[in-house]
Amino acid sequence: MFTGIVTAIGIIQSVEQRGDLRAVIACPFDPATFDIGASIACSGVCLTVVAKSGTKGAMTFAVDISGETVSRTAPGMWTKGAKLNLEPSLRLGDELGGHIVTGHVDAVGTLADWRPDGDSTRLTIAAPASLAPFIAAKGSITVNGVSLTVNAVSDTPDGSVQFELNIIPHTADVTTLGELRQGASVNLEIDTIARYLQRMQALRANAGA
């Protein structure tokens, strides 16, 4: 479990296609604080540490990425030199600073518009129809592993949805979101509470049919 509060940016040092894709990621974490088998969210994807090395502030760790995960995440993100938003899994007693995040990508969205808004940046993201029932103004959504608040939602005739986000300078500086440009693909995870509410509503509707 995660909160969507990114604590570091990692860089993929190498990728190797084995049975699965093995990626080695460099980051400023302390390897002494991670066990083999620990979970780290990598731009919104929960992955397992299978190897680690380095020293405090200069850690590298390896993860295995299945073909299923590659197919369901943003194209091109698992390449050498790519930057990833990193968040270690939540521990008992940690502050829940964002919202509950599982690290399971629900869909890939597209950055439809990018424009300055005061000191901040206003992003408009297009998401598939399957996510439309779960996205609401002032609700939470995870974009590339970052917990964000939805500012506005616009439904489109084909059933898909566009929603707006405000990225403050701090968030742009400490995550990869500040480097996004129009047309970029992003990993999206809907709010867990919205997921269960939608399921309950569907069951009530079926019961009344």
Side-chain angles (χ1 to χ4, degrees):
M1 184 181 296
F2 307 92
T3 68
I5 302 300
V6 171
T7 56
I9 294 177
I11 299 176
I12 298 180
Q13 285 191 328
S14 66
V15 291
E16 180 185 357
Q17 187 66 60
R18 303 182 176 185
D20 291 323
L21 188 67
R22 170 69 61 93
V24 176
I25 301 166
C27 68
F29 291 153
D30 181 357
T33 62
F34 291 88
D35 295 325
I36 299 300
S39 296
I40 297 179
C42 300
S43 286
V45 183
C46 178
L47 296 174
T48 301
V49 176
V50 297
K52 63 174 183 172
S53 61
T55 58
K56 183 177 181 180
M59 171 180 167
T60 60
F61 66 97
V63 294
D64 289 330
I65 309 157
S66 70
E68 171 75 5
T69 297
V70 172
S71 69
R72 291 182 175 271
T73 52
M77 69 173 291
W78 307 115
T79 56
K80 182 178 179 180
K83 294 181 179 180
L84 302 172
N85 295 318
L86 303 180
E87 181 190 358
S89 58
L90 189 65
R91 298 180 180 180
L92 188 64
D94 285 351
E95 179 183 358
L96 185 60
H99 71 282
I100 296 173
V101 176
T102 64
H104 301 154
V105 174
D106 291 300
V108 174
T110 302
L111 183 57
D113 190 33
W114 176 101
R115 65 184 188 276
D117 187 359
D119 291 331
S120 300
T121 303
R122 180 65 61 98
L123 305 182
T124 301
I125 295 177
S130 59
L131 265 59
F134 304 97
I135 301 174
K138 305 309 176 185
S140 296
I141 194 164
T142 307
V143 179
N144 281 356
V146 183
S147 173
L148 296 167
T149 300
V150 176
N151 285 351
V153 179
S154 300
D155 295 311
T156 61
D158 64 359
S160 63
V161 63
Q162 292 192 349
F163 60 94
E164 295 184 5
L165 306 165
N166 190 67
I167 309 300
I168 64 172
H170 173 76
T171 302
D173 289 341
V174 300
T175 72
T176 63
L177 298 185
E179 300 180 9
L180 291 178
R181 292 297 181 267
Q182 192 164 340
S185 296
V186 292
N187 296 324
L188 302 177
E189 181 184 336
I190 58 176
D191 184 16
T192 299
I193 295 175
R195 190 193 312 275
Y196 284 111
L197 287 174
Q198 175 66 13
R199 173 63 175 161
M200 290 169 62
Q201 184 179 23
L203 288 174
R204 289 196 185 100
N206 291 336

